[in-house]
């Protein structure tokens, strides 16, 4: 059995071992940032390529400062408002950050997660923890301790913190000041929605431009990602039918035993919270398809992060 209690989790992390920890977004595969061997082990356990940088988790805002060689004033205000919470900020790194964490980039991703157990672990270990989502590379992120156990066949110790309240990864942002205006780029939409971000920026009278940057700026955010074992078929303009099934089989190059619908709750936060769990529960094997329909009433910025994940999870879009 790989379940550990909070005390055992803290001690294992202090010994520079890898431990899966709960956060409010998804479970993370954590290791202390000052141990090269544990950082290597995170990549090995996850089967993650070294070009994909890790997020550094901290217990409070002041812990971000020594990790970064500069810290924009906007980040201080955003962190005061949204931390602990699902917001990751990209800043120039300091010498405390190993190139292994950043995949050789000059910037580091920092976040203060909002989960009481995770915060307790961070405080008591006393060293920031690097943690990617606790899934094998390219697969669906885990939102319960049982998902992590299944993902790594019980090989990784897991601290059970219940079901993740948000269920999708954090929003990753990078900002720079240009001519008295902040240019804010969303590198990965996530748990903090654009409307929530805008409401704060507007209320504070901050001049800004908010854009979505879908590029190599966030090297790990690949086109194919978050995929369950059963192929996901995203239906944008049609409903499931025999004709669609034949088309899917032709595209996938194999016969499907069955197909199941991933039916989402109607509220966007609830849909986000359930998405990965539904993928896991409904996914059985590669000969069964999961189909999911993008309905007109599920459009808009509150749904942005969810559709981003579904688009990347989809083996086929019709
Ligand atoms: O909610 C989350 O963010 C979860 C929990 C565990 O905190 N973590 C997570 O980590 O999703 P991961 O490794 O699965 O995704 C990290 C994302 C990747 O898309 C990566 O490319 C981006 O953050 N990232 C990390 N460092 C970066 C950097 N220096 N510049 C740009 N993007 C970076
Ligand atoms: Mg991930």
């Amino acid at each position: 059995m790989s379940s550990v209690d909070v005390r055992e989790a803290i001690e294992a992390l202090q010994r520079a071992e890898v431990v899966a920890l709960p956060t409010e977004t998804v479970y993370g595969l954590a290791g202390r940032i000052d141990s090269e061997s544990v950082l290597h082990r995170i990549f090995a356990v996850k089967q993650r390529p070294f070009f994909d940088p890790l997020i550094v988790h901290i217990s409070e805002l002041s812990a971000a400062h020594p990790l970064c060689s500069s810290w924009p004033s906007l980040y201080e205000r955003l962190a005061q408002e949204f931390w602990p919470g699902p917001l990751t900020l990209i800043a120039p790194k300091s010498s405390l950050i190993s190139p292994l964490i950043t995949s050789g980039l000059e910037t580091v991703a920092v976040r203060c997660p909002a989960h009481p157990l995770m915060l307790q672990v961070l405080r008591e270990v006393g060293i920031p923890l690097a943690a990617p989502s606790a899934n094998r590379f390219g697969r669906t992120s885990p939102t319960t301790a049982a998902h992590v156990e299944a993902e790594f066949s019980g090989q990784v110790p897991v601290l059970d913190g219940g079901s993740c309240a948000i269920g999708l990864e954090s929003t990753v942002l990078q900002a720079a000041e240009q001519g008295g205006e902040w240019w804010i780029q969303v590198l990965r939409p996530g748990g903090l929605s654009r409307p929530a971000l805008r409401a704060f920026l507007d209320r504070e009278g901050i001049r800004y431009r908010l854009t979505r940057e879908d590029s190599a700026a966030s090297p790990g955010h690949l086109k194919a990602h978050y995929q369950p074992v059963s192929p996901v078929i995203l239906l944008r303009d049609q409903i499931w039918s025999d004709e669609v099934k034949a088309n899917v089989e032709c595209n996938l190059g194999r016969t499907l035993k069955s197909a199941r619908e991933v039916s989402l709750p109607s509220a966007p936060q609830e849909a986000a919270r359930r998405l990965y769990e539904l993928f896991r529960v409904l996914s059985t094997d590669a000969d069964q398809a999961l189909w999911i329909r993008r309905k007109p009433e599920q459009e808009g910025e509150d749904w942005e992060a969810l559709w981003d994940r579904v688009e990347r999870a989809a083996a086929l879009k019709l």
Side-chain angles (χ1 to χ4, degrees), residues 210-292:
L210 186 59
T211 58
R212 170 77 191 278
E213 184 59 45
D214 208 358
S215 75
S218 195
H221 206 41
L222 304 176
K223 286 264 176 291
H225 207 147
Y226 314 106
Q227 300 194 329
V229 175
S230 300
V232 173
I233 316 301
L234 173 57
L235 300 178
R236 293 189 277 214
D237 302 315
Q238 33 200 329
I239 53 171
W240 189 258
S241 65
D242 286 345
E243 200 182 325
V244 168
K245 179 168 177 266
N247 188 354
V248 169
E249 289 180 328
C250 183
N251 270 285
L252 295 178
R254 61 178 181 271
T255 310
L256 292 172
K257 276 192 314 213
S258 59
R260 300 175 81 177
E261 181 180 8
V262 181
S263 179
L264 295 173
S266 53
Q269 284 81 7
E270 182 62 8
R273 197 175 67 73
R274 295 288 315 283
L275 179 73
Y276 290 154
E277 186 202 343
L278 286 169
F279 276 175
R280 278 178 191 268
V281 170
L282 298 174
S283 168
T284 51
D285 58 68
D287 294 331
Q288 179 213 243
L290 300 182
W291 59 273
I292 183 163

Side-chain angles (χ1 to χ4, degrees), residues 23 25-29 46 48 52-55 57 88 90 101-102 105 107-109 111 113 131-133 135 168-170 172 174 187-188 217-221 225-226:
T23 83
T25 56
V26 299
Y27 276 69
L29 197 61
K46 232 185 114 85
R48 179 173 176 125
D52 193 354
L54 307 176
I55 295 176
H57 296 72
T88 295
I90 307 290
I101 294 174
T102 66
L105 294 174
T107 52
V108 61
R111 144 169 146 82
S133 51
N135 51 279
L168 292 184
E169 296 82 354
S170 60
V172 180
Q174 185 159 28
L187 304 186
R188 177 179 72 179
S218 195
H221 206 41
H225 207 147
Y226 314 106

